[in-house]
Amino acid sequence: MSPQEQNFWNRFRTATGTEIAAPTESFRFGDSPSMANELLGLVMSGRKTATCALARWYGPDLSPLPAEGDLFLILDGCDTPRCVIRTLSVDIRPIREVNAEFAHAEGEGDRSLEGWRAEHLEFWQREAKREGFAFTEDLDAVLHRFVLIWAE
């Protein structure tokens, strides 16, 4: 954790009385500073209460798979800590099985399943090209539901 992240976490701990020494992980949403800021804004407004990532991006040498109760420090596009979220639930399923209710909870675009699919498939295809793997809708996705619990 960077010194800036540690200072933010310490303020969070003082403000909330939590005894947890460190977040599960610090991260920013998306693959660009502008996307990170846009999605952070949706979290801060309460519109975004879920996120989704490919299961292949989690593992022993990668990001930890979220679990109920985990606390995450969310960063903006400049990697400045902005808020803390708590995991409510995690579900792993093939991309093709994501439903309209989950798409709505992600809070992006018009919140429709069609809009969700268009945006996410484009994002994941871009990542597949960059990382050199074959993208299909049969790949497992991690459906992460969360609640915003603290922000400055």
Side-chain angles (χ1 to χ4, degrees):
M1 199 166 23
S2 75
Q4 184 180 30
E5 292 170 1
Q6 186 64 59
N7 286 336
F8 187 91
W9 189 256
N10 291 341
R11 291 192 307 275
F12 160 71
R13 291 179 66 199
T14 299
T16 64
T18 188
E19 296 181 12
I20 299 171
T24 300
E25 184 179 29
S26 299
F27 72 89
R28 68 183 192 182
F29 292 102
D31 66 348
S32 69
S34 62
M35 185 182 284
N37 289 335
E38 176 186 343
L39 298 178
L40 172 65
L42 295 174
V43 171
M44 300 287 271
S45 74
R47 180 175 162 134
K48 182 173 182 63
T49 59
T51 193
C52 187
L54 295 179
R56 66 177 280 118
W57 294 336
Y58 295 93
D61 297 325
L62 304 168
S63 293
L65 188 64
E68 184 179 343
D70 283 353
L71 299 178
F72 289 89
L73 183 59
I74 306 303
L75 311 174
D76 67 16
C78 294
D79 293 330
T80 301
R82 297 292 308 277
C83 66
V84 177
I85 61 172
R86 182 179 58 238
T87 301
L88 298 176
S89 66
V90 176
D91 187 24
I92 300 172
R93 65 177 61 187
I95 293 164
R96 63 181 151 63
E97 292 182 13
V98 172
N99 63 30
E101 190 276 326
F102 186 84
H104 187 268
E106 276 224 51
E108 300 171 28
D110 67 3
R111 300 179 92 169
S112 71
L113 181 57
E114 296 76 20
W116 181 93
R117 291 180 55 73
E119 292 296 320
H120 282 74
L121 296 181
E122 179 183 325
F123 173 79
W124 287 326
Q125 288 167 352
R126 186 170 64 239
E127 291 297 299
K129 183 176 180 181
R130 186 178 63 78
E131 294 178 13
F133 67 89
F135 175 81
T136 75
E137 292 186 48
D138 292 323
L139 290 174
D140 280 339
V142 176
L143 284 60
H144 180 186
R145 293 179 184 274
F146 59 83
V147 62
L148 172 66
I149 59 168
W150 192 76
E152 282 188 315

